[in-house]
Amino acid sequence: MVSSSYSNLLDLATGAADQGPAPAALGALRRRLPSVVTTPGLMEDSPASPSTPSPAPRPRTIVVANHLPIRAHRPASPEEPWTFSWDEDSLLRHLQKSSSSPSMEFIYIGCLREDVPVPEQDAVAQALLDSYNCVPAFLPADTAARYYHGFCKQHLWPLFHYMLPLSPDLGGRFDRLLWQAYVSANKVFADKVLEVINPDDDFVWVHDYHLMVLPTFLRKRFNRIKLGFFLHSPFPSSEIYKTLPVREELLRALLNSDLIGFHTFDYARHFLSCCGRMLGLPYESKRGHICLEYYGRTVSIKILPVGVYMEQLNAVLALPETEAKVAELMETYTGNGRVVMLGVDDMDIFKGISLKLLAMEELLGQHPEWRGRLVLVQVANPARGRGKDVVGVQEETYAMVKRINEAYGAPGYEPVVLIDQPLQFYERVAYYVIAEVCLVTAVRDGMNLIPYEYVASRQGNDRLDRILRLCKPEEKKSMLVVSEFIGCSPSLSGAIRVNPWNIEAVADAMECALVLPEKEKNLRHDKHYRYVEKHDVGYWANSFLQDLERTCKDHSNRRCWGIGFGLRFRVVSLDLSFRKLAMEHIVQAYRRSKTRAILLDYDGTLMPQAINKSPTAKSVQILNSLCQDQRNAVFLCSGFKRCTLDEWFPAENLGMAAEHGYFMRYELKLRLKRDAEWETCIPPADCSWMQIAKPVMELYTETTDGSIIEERDTVLVWNYEDADPDFGSCQAKELVDHLESVLTNEPVSVKSTVHSVEAKPQGVSKGLVARRMLAALQERGMCPDFVLCIGDDRSDEDMFQFITSASCADSFASTAEVFACTVGRKPSKAKYYLDDTAEVVRLMQGLAYVSEELALENPALGEEDPEDLWCVGELQ
């Protein structure tokens, strides 16, 4: 069923998002751009001047995110210019400052946090470009509201944090107008990238869920663009994600990237599961890198959590303001015998502030000895979104803090200190320094760098050690209680991990963190600090860019072109020697040939994969026409039984192979002789092994809903096409191992194919079918000068490999033209491809028509000479 989710939104956004011509200064950023388009996806440079060659261009990365790493300061009066400064807390700013390649140039594209009036936008864009290498994307106010506060915050953000819109109050129902605004906004960002990009040299790095369809816009314009995407939020399980009405559009858009990054394996696993279940795309590991094949392009998956900017943290720790604040907090809390626990969270529904407060209440109720001593300092940053849920969280938080303080407080003592005003970074660091325990109880979060910042801050420096009265470096310590549902949890093996919904368990973990032996605290801190120090933001950024470069290194060695409309656009990328089989080319070769060998697979080649496997009357008629041409030796290779093929194909002069080549029949009939009988291509096999293998397959069939066993004379097939794809694939791997172990001493080959596991006698292959057919022709003195072989799956690769190898050259005429053709654009040993079974049928119909034409032009060709015919009986 065709999706109604606006597949033509690329065109819709094109008209809605025009922003006028690019500023003149952008020309300096472009450098030399390709200007001559010769073939779709192939671009050539304009002729270079004979002057001295220019130096190699400086490598550049275009970083695209929702917001620029810039603080814009509105002028006091219209006559004054806007002023700007770097946002030193922005992750994007840290990319540039921590890059290991000093020569790398970074260009930033994103929105400003301040609304700039339209008449002032050109001046602002020019100033940002000249001084900061930043290109602002200005969105119309209504589009910006529907894009960010609408689709991003009402649909994507809640869904990615596992909140379904079960009612209008829970994120709201899907609104297609918001979706259109999201696509239009992404188109504006794409236009800005196109203004500055040099597609031959530049890398583009897109960040987060705000820009998930941007890769499609960019890939459509430049088929070979070097494009990476990193998702900073969680990616939900397939059961959650597939509730999104535009689920397929977003998946396909992400797959237009070359490299897709996630913080944890869980997030990547969910994404891969969605690709498998919704798009039918399997994944594999290649030398340690997880990859998907998407229309011939390799899309790599990167799993690496982001880190903190250690240089900035160390600089802040050394500030006099930080030292003064630490001294003040030490006097306020430690000087009065208090032990500080710290929580730093945004005031939103997923940070679990209320659960943290309930655990604190539980701890004080169960452990009276901590009353009057333990203080939970909760820093509540302003929420990034808005709506009823934010107001509800605020009201609940204030009420719980009041209740706990009234129940367990005393004069001069408040067990919970709520700071709901924004803190400067040095102030937050000061709280990290004096806190004995850091507590993160988010119910779902992408990464959350608070634990990393806490560990690095607790390492401190010599001056802070004196304020904290630490005499030896080995006395440094830190304790973390973190939720299992945040991205940094897997990296912090020394943290106490908790289920934030289990209030009693969180309270116990808090108490455990307080009473753990000092030596244990020291060891855990040392382990965490070594990890945080090594895996900082620079490590993360450099590793991502290195993998992006590795993934894109063979772009120039591939032929690329785009297919599909709207957000279903994708790029087909194939080896330079792999091309579509042109009807005109093969028809000309067919016309001038004297002896032809035609090898055809059946299921998936002449017939599409379907429930009804029997051939159509049209297919049978085409084969009959081809077989009536005495120049043709036509052979059909299938995995079905002999009796099934006999029933389906009564055509004269049609050779057949059943069960992937174990049984063969050269059915090129003599008028005065009996039909040829089925023969085995290898010595008759002992099939007693089937009594061992079948019970094993039955066991897996019972435990895998949707799977069946297909039993043939010499082959057993376990088919899981209708089973759950993830579970079926997992069971298939187990079944292969199980069968190989119980059939170790049997002459049996066990192979895993698409949606099935096959057990068959060793030595049987379609390559052997091709060898036997050509040998039979050669013994009759018939060397074909036209060879056509078409198949669709892995078993057909043996045929392709054989007919294109040098070893069978003696079987062909010196002028032979060989066409090995696979069905579908995918990696193959064949040199040609056709898109689907419909194209195969059209091709065969065209060849049959040529045979009929030639028979009419020269009736003698239709007269069969018994000496020119052969059968298997004469070969024995």
Side-chain angles (χ1 to χ4, degrees), residues 271-307:
F271 172 77
L272 294 169
S273 176
C274 289
C275 290
R277 291 172 180 272
M278 296 171 206
L279 303 179
L281 298 176
Y283 68 92
E284 60 180 344
S285 180
K286 295 181 179 178
R287 296 184 178 273
H289 300 283
I290 300 176
C291 301
L292 289 149
E293 288 293 330
Y294 187 58
Y295 289 89
R297 291 178 48 250
T298 298
V299 181
S300 295
I301 305 300
K302 177 77 172 175
I303 302 168
L304 185 66
V306 71

Side-chain angles (χ1 to χ4, degrees), residues 816-830:
E817 297 182 77
V818 179
F819 301 90
C821 177
T822 187
V823 180
R825 282 169 271 204
K826 56 183 182 285
S828 172
K829 293 183 176 69

Side-chain angles (χ1 to χ4, degrees), residues 539-556:
Y539 180 94
W540 169 75
N542 294 324
S543 179
F544 187 91
L545 291 174
Q546 287 169 7
D547 272 15
L548 180 57
E549 183 177 4
R550 173 189 56 79
T551 304
C552 301
K553 67 182 180 180
D554 68 338
H555 277 193
S556 59

Side-chain angles (χ1 to χ4, degrees), residues 576-595:
L576 292 175
S577 62
F578 190 54
R579 56 191 183 276
K580 189 166 185 175
L581 186 58
M583 177 70 80
E584 299 81 5
H585 184 197
I586 194 170
V587 165
Q588 291 175 6
Y590 188 84
R591 278 184 178 277
R592 60 177 173 260
S593 57
K594 303 299 181 183
T595 305

Side-chain angles (χ1 to χ4, degrees), residues 560-602:
C560 301
W561 66 94
I563 60 173
F565 297 98
L567 293 176
R568 295 179 181 274
F569 174 86
R570 60 268 190 202
V571 166
V572 177
S573 176
L574 299 174
D575 189 85
L576 292 175
S577 62
F578 190 54
R579 56 191 183 276
K580 189 166 185 175
L581 186 58
M583 177 70 80
E584 299 81 5
H585 184 197
I586 194 170
V587 165
Q588 291 175 6
Y590 188 84
R591 278 184 178 277
R592 60 177 173 260
S593 57
K594 303 299 181 183
T595 305
R596 311 180 188 112
I598 301 175
L599 294 92
L600 301 173
D601 175 48
Y602 174 69

Side-chain angles (χ1 to χ4, degrees), residues 814-843:
S814 59
T815 59
E817 297 182 77
V818 179
F819 301 90
C821 177
T822 187
V823 180
R825 282 169 271 204
K826 56 183 182 285
S828 172
K829 293 183 176 69
K831 294 185 178 181
Y832 299 92
Y833 73 90
L834 291 171
D835 286 327
D836 49 36
T837 56
E839 286 199 352
V840 176
V841 172
R842 282 197 296 270
L843 171 65

